[in-house]
Amino acid sequence: MKKIIAAMLSAAFVCAPVTVSAEEAQDVTMAFCTWTGYSPMFIAQEQGYFEEAGINMDIQVIEDESTYAALITTGNVQFLATAQDPNIKMYANGADSRFVLTMDASNGADGLVATGNIESLDDLAGKKLALDKSASSYYFFLTALEQGSSLTEDDIDVIDMGDTTEAGLAFMSGTVDAAIMWEPELSEALETVEGAHALVTSADYPDTILDSLVVNTKYAEENPEVVEAVAQAWYKAVDFLNENPEEAYEMMASGFEEVSAEDIASDVEGLIFYGEEENAALNDEGSDASIYSISQKMADFWMEKGECETDDLTDFFALVK
């Protein structure tokens, strides 16, 4: 029965979009934190893409990412957008979620910034480095260490700030020698701290920080047409962003507090958004650069670190494989 359901859901993703009739319009909730990578969903809302599909979409901006696994598992939110790395970790540790699509990839929007006397990753030995171990940039940091230095995390005085923004501010205040940060703190640090420079950015490791959309498993099984409609709304939003960037930035900023269109425009420079064609390419199992290969590396990495209960992602990708 499980295989039959998976096959039905997979078929829904390759057929023409299914629209929920007005009489059957559904209330749907999606959650994500304040980050530009998710904000094209506000374009979909403003342009009426959800409404056209018969969906009453309630987008909730929830900053406390520690609650995400519970929210998606209980179905208190049907859709959740966050980084692929934590999405995999949540699934591997029991969250009842299924992958829907890849939203974007960081292409320089995250980085390891250091003071002028630190010229290489190896120079971090014994230095104070601030980061947020709950963020996806932690995986980026450890990957950079393993592939680009002779150090391990134990060789560095790593300070877990619990918040990436706070890590950036700690660097700019001079209390640490280096920090893993993202925009807008990344650009601010490089511009305001004398000698500050990026040792590595996500552009150097493009497969380490991606954002993805997941859905509650039971909801997906019962409402495959809604899952497909939400995916199509995202693809339309990315198309709109590519064709009308200035107008899009205003819409993308409108759903967040204290975020301007200028902030969005700056962040977009370090991001690559994935529309329908890009997702189709990523979902090609024959490619070494497929989302499955990228994700398996993440799962294997965290399994080795003791952070995951399983590295089997078969069911996680049941909707698209």
Side-chain angles (χ1 to χ4, degrees):
M1 180 64 179
K2 188 175 183 181
K3 291 184 178 179
I4 294 174
I5 291 173
M8 291 172 63
L9 290 171
S10 297
F13 270 68
V14 297
C15 295
V18 178
T19 302
V20 182
S21 69
E23 294 78 11
E24 300 173 342
Q26 295 199 31
D27 294 330
V28 180
T29 303
M30 179 184 298
F32 48 76
C33 68
T34 301
W35 172 235
T36 297
Y38 315 129
S39 62
M41 285 298 183
F42 295 126
I43 298 176
Q45 197 168 46
E46 290 284 330
Q47 290 296 105
Y49 301 150
F50 294 125
E51 186 178 0
E52 290 170 4
I55 297 171
N56 299 320
M57 179 61 77
D58 174 23
I59 297 178
Q60 298 185 2
V61 179
I62 300 176
E63 309 295 2
D64 182 9
E65 297 181 43
S66 66
T67 66
Y68 283 0
L71 289 172
I72 197 68
T73 297
T74 59
N76 286 341
V77 300
Q78 289 78 53
F79 292 88
L80 173 66
T82 190
Q84 180 73 336
D85 177 33
N87 262 331
I88 287 171
K89 291 174 71 175
M90 284 189 289
Y91 166 80
N93 292 321
D96 198 7
S97 58
R98 295 290 182 267
F99 173 86
V100 178
L101 55 81
T102 303
M103 305 175 83
D104 66 272
S106 179
N107 188 40
D110 299 73
L112 194 170
V113 178
T115 53
N117 62 318
I118 300 174
E119 299 180 354
S120 70
L121 290 173
D122 282 337
D123 291 340
L124 290 169
K127 297 295 194 296
K128 291 182 179 180
L129 182 146
L131 52 71
D132 175 9
K133 287 191 174 183
S134 68
S136 57
S137 50
Y138 183 43
Y139 172 68
F140 152 72
F141 165 62
L142 294 181
T143 300
L145 276 190
E146 288 196 354
Q147 297 184 13
S149 81
S150 61
L151 304 180
T152 69
E153 183 180 357
D154 293 337
D155 297 316
I156 305 169
D157 184 5
V158 175
I159 302 170
D160 184 5
M161 303 295 293
D163 183 274
T164 302
T165 296
E166 292 300 319
L169 295 176
F171 176 79
M172 285 184 274
S173 70
T175 58
V176 296
D177 305 296
I180 304 293
M181 60 185 82
W182 52 33
E183 296 292 4
E185 288 77 27
L186 177 59
S187 293
E188 184 178 351
L190 294 174
E191 292 170 1
T192 62
V193 179
E194 185 176 357
H197 61 117
L199 291 179
V200 290
T201 74
S202 53
D204 300 306
Y205 298 92
D207 293 341
T208 56
I209 304 178
L210 301 92
D211 291 322
S212 61
L213 183 69
V214 298
V215 63
N216 171 270
T217 303
K218 182 179 179 181
Y219 185 83
E221 292 173 350
E222 296 176 350
N223 302 277
E225 74 287 349
V226 176
V227 178
E228 170 63 5
V230 170
Q232 289 299 323
W234 169 263
Y235 298 144
K236 290 179 182 178
V238 172
D239 288 343
F240 185 92
L241 167 60
N242 291 334
E243 296 167 5
N244 310 278
E246 298 304 322
E247 187 178 355
Y249 298 156
E250 294 288 347
M251 296 181 190
M252 293 160 73
S254 67
F256 297 132
E257 295 183 3
E258 300 180 0
V259 174
S260 68
E262 290 74 20
D263 295 330
I264 297 292
S266 177
D267 289 349
V268 165
E269 292 181 4
L271 295 172
I272 299 173
F273 288 95
Y274 288 86
E276 190 164 19
E277 290 185 6
E278 293 81 5
N279 268 273
L282 270 178
N283 293 348
D284 178 6
E285 292 187 74
S287 170
D288 291 336
S290 72
I291 190 62
Y292 317 117
S293 297
I294 292 170
S295 300
Q296 194 62 57
K297 290 177 184 177
M298 293 179 178
D300 292 344
F301 181 93
W302 289 117
M303 188 77 173
E304 182 181 341
K305 299 290 183 183
E307 296 287 332
C308 287
E309 294 180 6
T310 180
D311 59 358
D312 183 354
L313 303 179
T314 304
D315 286 346
F316 182 65
F317 287 110
L319 301 186
V320 292
K321 269 196 170 184

